[in-house]
């Protein structure tokens, strides 16, 4: 298990007072905080070896290139990718998913082809497929949920047809915490000849991931939710796809040769990294991966399961609190969405903020899921490696006070 006291000492931002109380940061599904090791890696890069990559004939350029490509190798090991050439640096999960839609999708989809996704996707794993489907006259099909908020695998089997070309599914829901059975989804998708695109934005920070064991075709995640900087994300792609896919953006670095009217492409992954990449933040992500790997992703997950179990039990003591998602902490991540009586989620968030507790409130970029749940918004507390039981206790106490406060405001 994790030594949270020691971990907390590595995160300067956690040690501050917000609105008169020690900060309790429970908005990790939106973005995580950064350890000193990551912050110092960025400072070190800009202070000692900032230079453009891949084209330098000077020492700083070589150092920057080595660190940038070294970060790619670290990310590859982190998700057990077969090699660094299968790791494309992008801005974030959103860009990674769009890259697949704009390249593989545009090259392969024909009118009447089908894209299967789910009703719990983040907009970034939904809107790119809507755009693609409209352009290609393809059909979108949606897998529903069980009453406890798990993916309905019987419905999944029903949605698959010989016309299914793409199955795009989240590995962990940013609202319900639901973990989906990705290996099984991939197996069934491949059986009908479809490729699989996995949104791992909420999975890569929290669960051990092995893309070879999952056998997925593409998998995307963001650095900023896993201790890394903003502006850097990862798209893993199976090598044979990356070799055959057309490029995403045209420009410098992605070419092999250019004539006035034509060009040929560089090898993957550089074929998909046009222009000067986000060198500093890629190297920073490498430091984040080092930090998580030193903790061990199995331990990260064990901490999260234990804390989520504790939180679910503690929150169940709060009167009129509705919690969404699977009740079993083994089947979900540390994302807990809830509503408190008839208090608007934004009001809950504001009251908690007054006590120094940061949560999120809103539709969480999952408007179709909100409609399915029959709510306009939820409040959401989400945990990470530095969160403690004492912080969960502060959340619960603040919710009880919020209920009392609003109860008296509305005269009940
Ligand atoms: N998918 C899921 C499940 C997410 O939680 C998020 C971030 N909220 C995204 C995709 C998009 O991530 P980003 O904004 O970093 O592109």
């Amino acid at each position: 298990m994790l030594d949270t006291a020691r971990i907390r000492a590595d995160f300067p931002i956690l040690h501050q007072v917000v609105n008169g109380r020690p900060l309790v940061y429970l908005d990790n599904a939106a973005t995580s905080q950064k350890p000193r090791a990551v912050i110092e890696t960025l400072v070190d890069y800009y202070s000692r070896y900032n230079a453009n990559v891949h084209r330098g004939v000077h020492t700083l350029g070589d150092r920057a290139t080595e660190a940038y490509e070294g970060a790619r190798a670290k990310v590859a090991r982190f998700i057990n990718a077969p090699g660094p050439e299968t790791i494309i640096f992008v801005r974030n999960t959103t860009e990674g998913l769009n890259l697949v839609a704009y390249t593989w999708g545009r090259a392969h989809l024909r009118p009447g082809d089908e894209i299967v996704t789910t009703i719990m996707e983040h907009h970034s794993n939904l809107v790119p497929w809507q755009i693609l489907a409209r352009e290609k006259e393809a059909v979108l099909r949606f897998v529903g949920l069980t009453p406890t908020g798990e993916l309905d695998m019987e419905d999944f089997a029903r949605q698959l047809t010989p016309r299914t070309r793409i199955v795009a599914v989240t590995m962990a829901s940013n609202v319900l915490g639901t973990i989906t059975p990705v290996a099984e989804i991939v197996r069934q998708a491949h059986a009908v000849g479809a490729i699989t695109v996995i949104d791992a934005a909420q999975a890569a920070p929290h669960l051990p991931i092995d893309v070879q064991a999952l056998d997925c075709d593409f998998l995307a995640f963001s650095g900023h939710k896993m201790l890394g900087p903003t502006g850097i994300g990862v798209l893993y792609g199976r090598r044979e796809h990356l070799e055959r896919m057309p490029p995403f953006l045209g420009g410098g670095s992605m070419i092999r040769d250019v004539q006035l009217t034509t060009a040929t492409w560089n090898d993957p992954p550089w074929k998909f990294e046009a222009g000067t990449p986000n060198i500093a933040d890629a190297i920073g992500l490498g430091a984040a991966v080092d930090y998580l790997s030193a903790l061990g992703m199995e331990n990260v997950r064990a901490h999260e399961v234990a804390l989520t179990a504790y939180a679910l039990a503690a929150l169940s003591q709060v009167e009129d609190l509705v919690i969404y998602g699977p009740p079993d902490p083994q089947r979900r991540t540390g994302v807990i969405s809830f509503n408190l009586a008839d208090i608007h989620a934004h009001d809950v968030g504001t009251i908690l903020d007054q006590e120094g507790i940061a949560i999120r409130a809103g539709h969480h970029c999952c408007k179709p899921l909100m409609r399915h749940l029959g709510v306009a918004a939820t409040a959401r507390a989400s945990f990470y490696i530095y969160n403690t039981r004492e912080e969960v206790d502060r959340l619960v106490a603040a919710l009880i006070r919020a209920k009392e406060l609003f109860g008296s405001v509305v005269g009940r």
Side-chain angles (χ1 to χ4, degrees):
M1 283 281 238
L2 304 182
D3 181 348
T4 42
R6 225 167 115 187
I7 289 171
R8 291 179 74 82
D10 292 336
F11 289 78
I13 203 170
L14 296 178
H15 308 283
Q16 63 175 299
V17 167
V18 171
N19 295 325
R21 300 289 307 275
L23 169 66
V24 174
Y25 186 77
L26 299 179
D27 193 18
N28 294 287
T31 199
S32 76
Q33 299 302 348
K34 323 301 172 196
R36 202 171 274 114
V38 169
I39 299 167
E40 283 170 2
T41 296
L42 298 176
V43 172
D44 190 48
Y45 167 74
Y46 283 121
S47 325
R48 297 201 310 119
Y49 62 101
N50 169 55
N52 213 328
V53 288
H54 297 146
R55 42 193 107 131
V57 288
H58 57 77
T59 305
L60 296 195
D62 289 346
R63 269 193 223 156
T65 303
E66 204 176 299
Y68 179 73
E69 293 302 332
R72 195 193 306 278
K74 287 176 188 180
V75 170
R77 280 195 295 276
F78 185 67
I79 58 170
N80 195 32
E85 70 283 2
T86 62
I87 301 297
I88 302 165
F89 282 129
V90 289
R91 278 187 301 151
N92 46 37
T93 307
T94 304
E95 189 174 73
L97 297 168
N98 274 276
L99 192 158
V100 180
Y102 277 92
T103 58
W104 197 97
R106 272 184 167 173
H108 289 87
L109 254 66
R110 303 283 167 264
D113 282 348
E114 295 174 0
I115 302 168
V116 171
T117 182
T118 84
I119 65 165
M120 69 173 154
E121 298 307 315
H122 188 282
H123 297 162
S124 67
N125 198 27
L126 176 58
V127 179
W129 309 119
Q130 293 177 346
I131 294 170
L132 177 66
R134 196 170 310 146
E135 183 181 318
K136 292 290 174 179
E137 295 173 46
V139 178
L140 288 167
R141 296 174 70 113
F142 298 95
V143 184
L145 304 179
T146 67
T148 55
E150 306 219 31
L151 196 65
D152 182 342
M153 290 301 284
E154 282 175 24
D155 192 29
F156 176 62
R158 277 194 297 274
Q159 300 305 331
L160 289 177
T161 78
R163 295 301 307 260
T164 312
R165 302 306 312 275
I166 298 173
V167 172
V169 179
T170 190
M171 189 163 180
S173 161
N174 62 313
V175 172
L176 302 172
T178 307
I179 298 169
T180 59
V182 169
E184 178 59 21
I185 289 167
V186 170
R187 197 186 63 71
Q188 294 191 30
H190 285 172
V192 298
I195 64 145
T196 47
V197 185
I198 308 304
D199 173 357
Q202 298 293 343
H206 303 279
L207 307 169
I209 291 185
D210 178 337
V211 288
Q212 295 187 73
L214 294 175
D215 200 27
C216 56
D217 297 276
F218 296 97
L219 182 136
F221 53 96
S222 301
H224 69 92
K225 294 181 199 282
M226 48 184 285
L227 311 181
T230 51
I232 189 75
V234 172
L235 176 69
Y236 158 79
R238 200 189 281 272
R239 192 185 287 123
E240 55 267 32
H241 295 319
L242 298 183
E243 276 164 7
R244 281 187 222 126
M245 272 153 58
F248 181 31
L249 302 174
S253 304
M254 52 75 72
I255 52 85
R256 182 178 308 286
D257 191 19
V258 181
Q259 311 286 332
L260 273 179
T261 55
T262 57
T264 51
W265 316 136
N266 201 342
D267 292 329
W270 306 290
K271 174 175 148 187
F272 300 99
E273 293 183 2
T276 299
N278 188 346
I279 305 161
D281 295 319
I283 298 170
L285 175 58
V289 163
D290 283 343
Y291 191 95
L292 287 171
S293 301
L295 294 178
M297 288 307 291
E298 300 288 348
N299 297 324
V300 168
R301 174 66 183 146
H303 170 75
E304 181 162 278
V305 171
L307 194 61
T308 305
Y310 181 80
L312 289 172
L315 288 166
S316 72
Q317 307 300 313
V318 182
E319 225 180 288
D320 293 334
L321 188 93
V322 177
I323 298 176
Y324 305 96
D328 180 353
Q330 299 284 355
R331 302 180 71 86
R332 64 186 296 157
T333 60
V335 167
I336 303 183
S337 281
F338 57 89
N339 271 305
L340 180 58
D342 53 1
I343 311 172
H344 195 282
H346 282 126
D347 292 332
V348 173
T350 305
I351 295 170
L352 295 184
D353 180 53
Q354 284 162 12
E355 300 204 21
I357 303 171
I359 63 154
R360 198 157 197 89
H363 55 65
H364 314 292
C365 299
C366 288
K367 283 195 149 201
L369 177 60
M370 292 295 121
R371 288 194 194 96
H372 171 79
L373 296 173
V375 296
T378 73
R380 181 185 74 185
S382 51
F383 309 128
Y384 209 19
I385 51 174
Y386 33 69
N387 289 124
T388 64
R389 290 182 174 204
E390 292 70 35
E391 291 181 309
V392 171
D393 293 342
R394 285 236 345 245
L395 171 71
V396 170
L399 287 171
I400 291 170
R401 274 194 295 279
K403 176 124 193 303
E404 285 165 4
L405 179 73
F406 266 81
S408 61
V409 168
V410 295
R412 271 185 283 152

